[in-house]
Amino acid sequence: MTHPFLDLAPMSAARFAAIEDRVARLLATEQDVVITQGEALLPLEGAIRGAAGPGTTALNVITGPYGQTFGNWLRDCGARVIDLAVPFHTAVTAEQIRAAFAEHPSIDFVSLVHAEAATGNTNPVAGIGAVVREHGALFYLDAVASIGAEPVLPDAWGVDLCVIGAQKAMGGPAGVSAISVSERAWKRMAANPGAPRRSYLSLLDWKERWIDGGRRALLHAPAQLEMLALEACVERIETEGLASVTGRHASAAAATRAGALALGGGLEPYVREAGDAAPVATTLRVPADADAAEVTARALAVDPSVPLAAGGGALAKEMIRVNHYGPDATVGVVRASLAALGAALTQTGFPVDVEAARRAAAEAWPA
């Protein structure tokens, strides 16, 4: 039995490299870009283990659960870790980063999540990058949730290690990811005796055997279907235009926020300041006497197609996340999500105004 997905000729090194070049253009970067054959946790961990070690003093910014994970990896590498944790309903500031450098001048590595889809906040990377550059530290950025939803510019922002994934705002596959690596970061990894080598986590293997070899021979058989899906995903973004894609996400976030406020029923944005809210997803706080997981379940029973999820872990009782990203960054999805939430809140005894929510969402969405 033949199948169009199962009987493809092997992907050539030239096509693999061409996809990397298109991803580099998406990031507007002149840095080396490596497409890694796994979900974004692969390059996220590989970059930390490659660049950090016992001699590293790392400032690890925590604005959500991934920041906590990065701190654990850094400690496991033997780095001295200074955690800068801010409330999940807000964002870190460049001034807080500057204060951390003043208190700990030995910081030589900064890890930051651009946008936390889990908590709905986004951090001002451009300003933070300027501070990091002033102090000569290596800058590591998780842009998995932000790419496609808002600008991601590693060169302009001075980011040395920038990891992206296609499964959220890009509307692509989860099984491959990418990282841009500056020359400074490559040198740091090459000088690190603890950097993974001959390992799936090794970025240096890709540098030495793929990039330095002229990108002529792949390290191993690529995840072909995922690579083709990534190629199609990038092509779709190129066709629509990156500015249009990010604009849809910004509009979806603004409309969801305005609609939730107009809906009533005690629902309010979890991230208090609109400027701190991520375009990729909007998080909402339920009334104190409601259960977010229950409200979410009721809303999904009303309309199983809406992209709603209760918060994770300790946030499950208080937070609902509206995942308006990728193909769901549309006014129709926002309206349907607000209607489903309105029905769920009504069922649990909270008065709402669905029509007011729809009007507010429409007014917040640019014509």
Side-chain angles (χ1 to χ4, degrees), residues 57-263:
T57 300
L59 174 64
N60 179 52
V61 182
I62 301 175
T63 57
Y66 279 99
Q68 295 169 330
T69 298
F70 300 159
N72 293 337
W73 286 340
L74 286 161
R75 290 182 179 88
D76 191 54
C77 292
R80 176 190 174 217
V81 180
I82 298 149
D83 285 326
L84 172 56
V86 302
F88 290 178
H89 62 260
T90 186
V92 73
T93 66
E95 289 71 25
Q96 288 172 302
I97 302 296
R98 191 182 300 280
F101 273 107
E103 186 176 354
H104 305 280
S106 61
I107 292 170
D108 60 358
F109 185 98
V110 176
S111 53
L112 175 71
V113 178
H114 187 182
E116 287 269 10
T119 51
N121 56 33
T122 191
N123 292 301
V125 181
I128 291 169
V131 175
V132 175
R133 282 198 304 275
E134 286 175 19
H135 293 83
L138 209 67
F139 193 10
Y140 162 101
L141 185 70
D142 171 355
V144 174
S146 54
I147 183 66
E150 55 188 303
V152 177
L153 302 168
D155 290 14
W157 296 342
V159 179
D160 296 287
L161 295 157
C162 182
V163 176
I164 65 169
Q167 69 268 29
K168 287 189 168 66
M170 288 178 66
V176 288
S177 46
I179 180 169
S180 65
V181 186
S182 72
E183 191 59 36
R184 290 196 326 143
W186 284 131
K187 290 178 179 177
R188 178 80 69 94
M189 285 187 268
N192 179 10
R197 305 302 292 266
R198 296 299 186 267
S199 163
Y200 209 57
L201 287 172
S202 176
L203 294 174
L204 281 173
D205 286 358
W206 283 96
K207 164 68 171 168
E208 295 171 359
R209 298 168 59 193
W210 170 244
I211 295 171
D212 292 349
R215 298 194 297 178
R216 293 188 181 90
L218 290 161
L219 273 64
H220 48 70
Q224 174 148 299
L225 297 182
E226 297 281 355
M227 288 295 296
L228 294 174
L230 177 62
E231 182 181 49
C233 160
V234 174
E235 182 174 354
R236 186 167 61 184
I237 293 171
E238 292 170 346
T239 300
E240 181 179 349
L242 182 58
S244 175
V245 175
T246 57
R248 280 194 295 106
H249 285 82
S251 296
T256 302
R257 188 178 185 91
L261 286 168
L263 183 63

Side-chain angles (χ1 to χ4, degrees), residues 272-361:
R272 294 176 184 172
E273 300 294 329
D276 293 338
V280 68
T282 298
T283 48
L284 303 171
R285 190 187 301 275
V286 299
D289 49 351
D291 183 289
E294 178 187 349
V295 174
T296 302
R298 287 179 180 272
L300 289 171
V302 171
D303 186 349
S305 71
V306 294
L308 300 177
L315 299 174
K317 289 186 176 296
E318 61 178 303
M319 178 197 286
I320 295 173
R321 191 170 70 244
V322 186
N323 294 316
H324 46 65
Y325 54 69
D328 287 330
T330 69
V331 67
V333 167
V334 171
R335 288 174 181 157
S337 299
L338 292 168
L341 286 170
L345 287 166
T346 298
Q347 291 174 16
T348 49
F350 296 93
V352 299
D353 188 339
V354 174
E355 190 53 41
R358 287 176 176 157
R359 286 197 304 271

